[in-house]
Amino acid sequence: GFRRTIMFRRKQVTSHIVRGGYPGQAGGALSRANQVASLQRSVPEAKVVSPNGNVWDVPVSTRFGSLAFRIILPPQFPMQPPDIRLMVQATHVWVDPQLRILGHPQLRQWSPSANLGTIVRDIVTEFKARPPQPKQLSPAVGVPNNNHSPASSGLPSHVNNQIHSGSAAAQQAAAHAAQAAAMHQAAHAHERKDQHQPPPPSSSPPSQQHQHGDNGNNLKQVQHAAVPPVPHEFPILDTFSTYQLEEILENSDKYQEVLEQISVVKSQTALRDQLYDGIEDIAKSNLGKQEQVLEETSKVKELRDELEVNTQKLNELLARQRAVMGKFSAANLLKLLSEAADQADNKCRDLREQYDDEELDHAAYCKQYIKQRTKYHLYAAKKERLQEEYGLH
């Protein structure tokens, strides 16, 4: 991002020199027709929505969906800046609360020599790279207000005075101050939310929670490390000439030297070192518990072996239970009753043959025959009742 900013700044300075002036100078001013033609060339998707050609809509496709912003050209354009604003409720560092797009450097310090097509193309590129975040608000802002005062942004009075004086550096500083204030408020809101949010319940015993206390604190510090915002502008580049910018781009040592002078780079370097230290502390804490982990792993293995043995015993007992219960099943009982009834009936036939052959006298025959025939009828009655109750055949 820093290298692209340098190249963009060099291109900006060179283009102003070719047109015959720098931002804020009257020389090299583009006519209204040339500005509109530049818009059509640079952003072909821009559509005119008014008969007089003063209102244009520019659609933008982002990863969050489609959005659009509107360009209104005042009668004194290009002597007066265009009014560019979002057509949806969203937040972005380039967009003010009234949905006006003021983050582009040439919009904050407008000059008739500024190129409208280049500005709109830069806005489209910015929104595609970092899409505006949708927000929930009451009604959208209606009538444009060209008399916006920075005093409503909550900046210090001395910064507002410098802005009204027309100083480009002061306006740039004010933009950075507004961005820093917004980030600061968001960070405090996140901290207050964390403070009021109750900690999640823990299933670990108190002794283990005490042992893991240091590790948890280090992890919390790593997780809640605040990442500094990446700025959209680098004021240090305004101090270099075009030749110096080219030299910085071609010389890696000078590029690194300039890069290390930027405050956000220093903050990110410090954050990186903090993350490295936090991760190292967590790793050392985990390595210190290696013996405890190995001991618990051994206990788990013993319990699994015991579980396997007990599971095998249970399967054997279940097999025996199924075998025993099988003997008393309805089908098996019906089979046994049928066999017993057939056996008693066969004995009755044998007794009749013995009586006919005079092997048994009348008294012995009657006694034994009645006994076996009683058994037969008893088994047959039980068999018939079992068939009726269980529907067996």
Side-chain angles (χ1 to χ4, degrees):
F2 179 66
R3 182 180 293 273
R4 289 197 301 270
T5 304
I6 293 179
M7 297 178 68
F8 173 77
R9 180 60 177 167
R10 182 182 63 177
K11 179 180 178 182
Q12 181 185 29
V13 173
T14 304
S15 63
H16 281 301
I17 293 175
V18 171
R19 291 198 302 267
Y22 290 92
Q25 294 179 347
L30 299 177
S31 66
R32 185 186 187 91
N34 290 338
Q35 294 278 13
V36 173
S38 174
L39 173 61
Q40 292 176 323
R41 288 194 307 270
S42 301
V43 189
E45 62 270 21
K47 303 296 181 182
V48 61
V49 295
S50 65
N52 56 8
N54 291 336
V55 183
W56 296 74
D57 285 349
V58 180
V60 182
S61 298
T62 71
R63 61 177 179 271
F64 293 145
S66 299
L67 56 87
F69 60 89
R70 174 161 292 180
I71 306 170
I72 301 176
L73 305 179
Q76 292 77 17
F77 178 80
M79 301 308 297
Q80 288 186 355
D83 187 317
I84 306 177
R85 64 181 65 213
L86 276 178
M87 299 177 65
V88 296
Q89 293 292 338
T91 58
H92 191 273
V93 70
W94 278 20
V95 181
D96 71 355
Q98 284 73 35
L99 302 182
R100 294 183 303 177
I101 302 174
L102 302 174
H104 196 283
Q106 295 187 22
L107 289 176
R108 290 200 304 271
Q109 43 185 1
W110 175 257
S111 168
S113 61
N115 191 309
L116 180 61
T118 301
I119 295 174
V120 175
R121 185 179 65 244
D122 292 344
I123 295 175
V124 173
T125 302
E126 170 67 19
F127 284 176
K128 287 184 177 181
R130 287 178 297 183
Q133 300 291 329
K135 65 178 180 179
Q136 298 293 336
L137 290 177
S138 51
V141 178
V143 182
N145 181 11
N146 293 329
N147 297 324
H148 174 69
S149 173
S152 61
S153 63
L155 299 177
S157 58
H158 68 278
V159 177
N160 290 331
N161 294 333
Q162 291 178 351
I163 294 175
H164 287 298
S165 66
S167 170
Q171 293 180 5
Q172 200 171 46
H176 286 295
Q179 181 181 357
M183 294 296 180
H184 182 71
Q185 293 176 0
H188 276 285
H190 182 71
E191 291 178 359
R192 288 195 298 270
K193 181 179 179 181
D194 290 342
Q195 291 175 359
H196 289 84
Q197 185 176 3
S202 176
S203 58
S204 303
S207 59
Q208 293 184 4
Q209 293 180 8
H210 179 72
Q211 293 175 0
H212 297 296
D214 295 337
N215 193 355
N217 293 333
N218 292 334
L219 181 60
K220 184 176 181 180
Q221 292 177 359
V222 173
Q223 291 177 342
H224 291 277
V227 179
V230 179
H232 301 286
E233 300 174 357
F234 300 91
I236 191 175
L237 300 181
D238 296 334
T239 63
F240 297 109
S241 64
T242 304
Y243 172 76
Q244 290 174 327
L245 293 175
E246 293 178 350
E247 187 177 5
I248 291 173
L249 287 174
E250 296 173 358
N251 191 325
S252 59
D253 294 335
K254 289 187 177 181
Y255 176 84
Q256 188 66 26
E257 180 181 354
V258 174
L259 186 65
E260 293 176 354
Q261 295 177 7
I262 301 176
S263 59
V264 68
V265 176
K266 296 179 180 179
S267 301
Q268 291 182 348
T269 302
L271 176 61
R272 180 199 62 191
D273 296 338
Q274 178 185 356
L275 292 176
Y276 283 169
D277 294 339
I279 294 173
E280 183 180 1
D281 293 340
I282 294 173
K284 289 180 179 179
S285 178
N286 291 337
L287 290 175
K289 299 179 178 64
Q290 184 175 6
E291 295 182 359
Q292 180 182 357
V293 172
L294 293 177
E295 182 181 354
E296 296 297 332
T297 303
S298 177
K299 292 181 180 180
V300 171
K301 185 178 183 304
E302 293 177 0
L303 292 175
R304 285 185 175 178
D305 294 341
E306 182 179 355
L307 176 63
E308 185 177 356
V309 173
N310 292 333
T311 302
Q312 184 177 359
K313 291 181 179 179
L314 176 62
N315 292 334
E316 293 176 356
L317 292 175
L318 290 175
R320 291 177 57 186
Q321 181 184 22
R322 287 192 294 269
V324 173
M325 295 300 294
K327 295 179 180 180
F328 300 98
S329 64
N332 189 56
L333 289 176
L334 181 63
K335 179 181 178 182
L336 294 176
L337 289 173
S338 298
E339 292 176 354
D342 293 341
Q343 185 178 2
D345 189 42
N346 293 332
K347 286 185 178 182
C348 288
R349 291 193 184 94
D350 293 340
L351 291 174
R352 181 58 183 259
E353 292 177 358
Q354 292 178 5
Y355 178 75
D356 292 339
D357 294 340
E358 298 182 353
E359 296 179 0
L360 291 176
D361 57 12
H362 182 74
Y365 167 72
C366 290
K367 181 178 179 181
Q368 295 181 21
Y369 185 84
I370 293 173
K371 181 179 179 181
Q372 295 298 326
R373 204 61 186 171
T374 302
K375 288 183 178 181
Y376 169 78
H377 287 293
L378 180 63
Y379 293 146
K382 291 183 177 180
K383 175 183 176 181
E384 184 179 356
R385 183 177 179 182
L386 186 64
Q387 289 176 336
E388 292 178 353
E389 290 184 358
Y390 293 93
L392 301 176
H393 299 285

